[in-house]
Amino acid sequence: MNTASHSSNNNHALDNECLLSTLFIMKQPALGQKISELRKRKGFTQEELVDKCNISVRTIQRIEAGEVTPRSYTIKTILSALDYDLESIAQEDSPLTSGFKKLMLLEIDDSKKASFLINHLRIAWISGIVYFLLGFAELYIEYYRYNDDQLVVTESMYIVIKLISLISLVLFTRGFVVTGKILNNYLLRITAFIFICIGVLFYLYDIVSLYTMRLDYQFILGAEAITYGVIGILFGIAVLRLKDSLGTIALVTGVFELITYGFMVTVLLSIVGMFMLTPTIILEIILLYKVTEMVREKIKSF
């Protein structure tokens, strides 16, 4: 056997080992349930599966019941008997992961009706308006909290405002995930999702810090400016790529985002970026409204 062929076989073996290792992420009882599901899908009884893979009935029963975690060789043998590809099962998401993707609209079934997209886009731009208006209240509260160490509202009211603002931010930003899906803009989808994750992180910190020792607020504000700035610049680039589909509104919004988040990432000029957020968010709301109308018009044309 030549060196290239030997290397290819080794790589194939390594790939299989990696796939088998991934299977162990699907722990019992999930693995047993999956094997049981595959067996029933093929129309096999446990006894018929035993005949095909030469494993005892008791072993199959215990695996499907989740009582034991089988060795990699046993998994491979069972899956082979069920004509199921290792890579397919390794790439499947857990119910939790799949549910999370659907919640964030990262995974949208192509069979979903256009009305599904319109409803979520409408929710997004309306949530954007709520987020925009709450931003002024947040700015007022945070100014006194961090500069005068004074909470001008009750803790309960502070938490309610923060949670409503967070929810509206998530729903607003999900609109860009949907837009990325509709217009095949992967960069927009992934940066919008990262924006959601960052928002959740910083909002939860604001709430938790009410009851724990706070970090230096200048450090926190600097970290927010840099984080939002870097992702925001990528987000702006993604929005600029929509100009062929959405025209001037995408161009203007993208330029404002690049300027706004460009100021933020410098930290020293982040205060300018904060003021620039006002027209930028307004433009983002208009952009999502425009996408909603575009989808609606497409439906009418059909």
Side-chain angles (χ1 to χ4, degrees), residues 177-195:
V177 177
V178 176
T179 300
K181 169 69 174 180
I182 294 171
L183 299 177
N184 296 316
N185 189 326
Y186 181 77
L187 181 62
L188 184 63
R189 293 179 69 195
I190 193 64
T191 50
F193 174 68
I194 294 173
F195 256 130

Side-chain angles (χ1 to χ4, degrees), residues 48-56 60 73-74 77-79 81:
E48 288 172 329
L49 179 57
V50 166
D51 291 339
K52 288 183 172 291
C53 61
N54 197 29
I55 296 173
S56 70
I60 295 292
Y73 173 79
T74 305
T77 302
I78 293 173
L79 292 180

